[in-house]
Amino acid sequence: MTTEDIAALEAQIYAYVGRECGSSTAPDPVNKPMIRHWCEVMGNTNPNHLDEAAASAGKRAELVAPATMLFVWNQTGYAVASTGRPKDPQVELIDLLDAHGYNGIVATDTTQEYFRELRLDDVISQRTVIDNISERKTTGLGEGYFYETVTEFSDQNGEPVGRQTFKVLKFRPAKKDQA
Amino acid sequence: MTQNLKSSDISVGQTLPERPIPVTSSLVTCAALATRDFEKVHHDKAFAQASGMPDVYMNILTSQGLTESYLRDWVGNDAVFRKLSVRLGAPNIPGTTMTMSGEVKSVDGNTVEVEVVGQNDKWGMHVKALATLELAS
């Protein structure tokens, strides 16, 4: 790519900073079956997640969801596999970078903050924005751009319950065979 | 039942017992579905291979969930997770083993920070996490 091409591409990608993508309200409230199915696979045996009577008698006095299920409640579901993710600004950004040879993708960092534990019947909404996009970087995988999304989670009363940042590297795979 | 640790039980530099986790196709795919992650790279081997990977690979929500379970078994049932920062490294591919280890990084009143590393025996560091836990008082 020429310097002019790169400048043109960067003008396009930086326009995505601040764009909202993936705003939704969970189709199911926080519930025991989804918690149990998750705990089975993760090997989590905490009765505060699994046994309503024990949880009610315990320190919390109620059953709560595991913390790292925060992002599970609003997942898109089987459509991701059957028909593909619906277009949103993040998908457009990825497509744009793909089209310019930055077709590698890897998640690098994510942080979740939990403002309170989620309880049964909470209905979780989330709103994600593209928070920032780095300058062009040289990495071990190749040249590329890091972009970071911020997702804010709230309950049925609009009260914040958690926050997530998620950083992704979109890169032009280094041609190792020509090195 | 796991005993709930108190701040007096915990000191900086203390290590957690290691936990080897066999990474199988079943774990990768069933955990992806339990986290409602239907990306094909986690359940469709041919699709994963077409994307340049040797096989299906573990999704991030599972790495976070296994980290939570590992910490939960150490700290006890009543502590509350406040924050989990995760740095991602090598993929977890079936036929390998990820060994989780942990070390206490800080203790401030009832707030404890623990670093957890998930080391894949074939591919190297899969995940390096820093968890902030609030102990039951």
Side-chain angles (χ1 to χ4, degrees), chain B residues 7-55:
Chain B
S7 58
S8 56
D9 302 326
I10 300 172
S11 53
V12 174
Q14 184 178 340
T15 56
L16 281 62
E18 289 192 355
R19 172 181 292 178
I21 297 175
V23 180
T24 62
S25 300
S26 297
L27 177 62
V28 168
T29 296
C30 298
L33 301 188
T35 58
R36 303 270 306 151
D37 183 341
F38 292 87
E39 289 287 354
K40 288 185 180 182
V41 290
H42 308 308
H43 65 256
D44 184 335
K45 182 174 180 175
F47 187 91
Q49 289 178 333
S51 79
M53 300 297 286
D55 202 336

Side-chain angles (χ1 to χ4, degrees), chain A residues 88-134:
Chain A
D88 67 32
Q90 185 176 186
V91 176
E92 287 174 22
L93 175 63
I94 291 169
D95 288 349
L96 179 62
L97 287 162
D98 283 347
H100 288 79
Y102 297 88
N103 57 337
I105 186 165
V106 61
T108 62
D109 300 88
T110 180
T111 295
Q112 290 185 337
E113 291 173 84
Y114 316 104
F115 304 153
R116 70 162 173 84
E117 294 184 303
L118 304 188
R119 54 182 75 99
L120 296 180
D121 296 329
D122 274 334
V123 178
I124 306 305
S125 293
Q126 70 180 41
R127 178 175 181 271
T128 299
V129 298
I130 298 169
D131 185 73
N132 62 80
I133 302 174
S134 75

Side-chain angles (χ1 to χ4, degrees), chain A residues 34 37-38 41-49 59-60 66-68 71-72 75 77-78 80-81 85 107-117 166, chain B residues 1 27 30-31 34-40 43 60-62 64-66 68-69 72-73 76-88 136-137:
Chain A
M34 285 174 68
H37 298 164
W38 185 98
V41 188
M42 300 299 167
N44 193 316
T45 57
N46 188 350
N48 291 303
H49 304 317
K59 185 169 175 51
R60 291 177 174 84
T68 60
F71 196 78
V72 171
Q75 288 273 49
Y78 181 62
V80 170
R85 277 192 188 280
T108 62
D109 300 88
T110 180
T111 295
Q112 290 185 337
E113 291 173 84
Y114 316 104
F115 304 153
R116 70 162 173 84
E117 294 184 303
F166 196 94
Chain B
M1 184 185 268
L27 177 62
C30 298
T35 58
R36 303 270 306 151
D37 183 341
F38 292 87
E39 289 287 354
K40 288 185 180 182
H43 65 256
I60 296 161
L61 291 174
T62 297
Q64 293 168 316
L66 293 173
E68 178 173 0
S69 298
R72 177 60 75 194
D73 285 348
N77 292 330
D78 288 345
V80 175
F81 280 74
R82 290 299 181 203
K83 188 173 180 179
L84 184 67
S85 296
V86 170
R87 161 143 278 199
L88 300 155
S137 51

Side-chain angles (χ1 to χ4, degrees), chain B residues 5 13 47 56 86 101 105 111-112 117 119 125 134:
Chain B
L5 294 182
F47 187 91
V56 293
V86 170
S101 60
K105 289 295 178 185
T111 302
V112 177
V117 173
Q119 184 76 14
M125 191 275 285
E134 190 178 314

